[in-house]
């Protein structure tokens, strides 16, 4: 086992071939999240460049919630869920986008003061469609995305060109 905490955290990510469809190598962060030291290490690494420069953390359903809640709690700020269509009782805006696999629409309620400084987080940056849609959602509601951060970037899919710059902990 490596003694570098970030290397150890990365080694916990499981690689699952052909999920959720043939040809996709799915990177499952569940074992990393279940390890207390690894979770602490990656959350600190995500927050590091943005020290106290944001008012709230936004995360995209579903795996982004896991990162956003932990980042918000570690930073002493609140958390805003950006949800897939049809889940929120009071959606204020919605944006549709393409995924590495399939298509999706995200929505957000708007209980934030105009001009709120938002740190936007997710687990994975793949094509960048999800985070670009989330940035547009926040912009459309008059908020400022002061940073965008993910646990893991799938570099060959070029997501940084779509929604960058994105602070990334693991590049694969
Ligand atoms: O950069 P992109 O190509 O947009 O892909 C990245 C997104 O794909 C996954 O979410 P998914 O929609 O599979 O939802 P889940 O979190 O509910 O599993 C992942 O959690 C990111 O949000
Ligand atoms: N290959 C992948 N593994 C895990 N999450 C993803 N989200 C988009 N592509 C993904």
């Amino acid at each position: 086992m490596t003694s570098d905490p970030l290397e150890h955290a990365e080694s916990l990510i499981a690689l699952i071939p052909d999920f959720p469809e043939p040809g996709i190598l799915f990177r499952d962060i569940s074992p990393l999240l279940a390890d207390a030291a690894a979770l602490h290490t990656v959350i600190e690494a995500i927050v590091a460049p943005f020290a106290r420069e944001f008012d709230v953390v936004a995360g995209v359903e579903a795996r982004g919630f896991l990162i956003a809640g932990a980042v918000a709690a570690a930073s002493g700020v609140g958390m805003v869920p950006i949800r897939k269509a049809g889940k929120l009782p009071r959606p204020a805006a919605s944006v549709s986008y393409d995924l590495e696999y399939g298509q999706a629409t995200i929505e957000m309620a708007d209980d934030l003061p105009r001009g709120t400084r938002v740190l936007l987080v997710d687990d994975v940056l793949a094509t960048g469609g999800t985070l670009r849609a989330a940035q547009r959602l926040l912009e459309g509601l008059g908020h400022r995305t002061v940073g965008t951060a993910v646990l893991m970037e799938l570099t060959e899919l070029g997501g940084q060109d779509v929604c960058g710059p994105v602070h990334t902990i693991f590049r694969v």
Side-chain angles (χ1 to χ4, degrees):
M1 187 178 108
T2 169
S3 62
D4 179 79
L6 273 177
E7 274 182 32
H8 175 62
E10 186 170 17
S11 76
L12 297 176
I13 297 169
L15 304 183
I16 316 294
D18 300 321
F19 181 87
E21 58 185 49
I24 301 290
L25 178 62
F26 190 83
R27 297 172 187 273
D28 182 11
I29 63 169
S30 305
L32 185 163
L33 297 176
D35 183 295
L39 178 60
H40 178 78
T41 296
V42 300
I43 295 302
E44 292 297 315
I46 287 172
V47 166
F50 307 106
R52 302 194 180 279
E53 298 285 314
F54 53 93
D55 306 308
V56 73
V57 182
V60 189
E61 183 172 0
R63 284 171 276 152
F65 291 174
L66 305 171
I67 307 296
V71 167
S75 308
V77 301
M79 185 266 170
V80 173
I82 295 177
R83 300 212 63 177
K84 302 281 167 62
K87 302 286 187 73
L88 286 172
R90 298 175 297 117
S94 74
V95 173
S96 296
Y97 60 100
D98 293 323
L99 278 167
E100 190 186 8
Y101 36 80
Q103 235 249 337
T105 300
I106 49 173
E107 296 180 338
M108 198 184 131
D110 195 19
D111 300 310
L112 303 172
R114 227 179 135 73
T116 294
R117 297 171 307 165
V118 181
L119 175 60
L120 174 63
V121 303
D122 206 348
D123 63 331
V124 173
L125 172 63
T127 65
T130 301
L131 284 173
R132 184 66 202 125
Q135 291 167 345
R136 287 173 51 209
L137 200 53
L138 290 162
E139 279 162 27
L141 291 170
H143 304 307
R144 284 197 289 140
T145 305
V146 296
T148 304
V150 297
L151 185 57
M152 186 179 11
E153 175 183 345
L154 312 184
T155 53
E156 66 182 16
L157 294 175
Q160 292 274 1
D161 297 334
V162 174
C163 64
V166 178
H167 173 51
T168 300
I169 310 308
F170 304 128
R171 281 178 198 80
V172 295

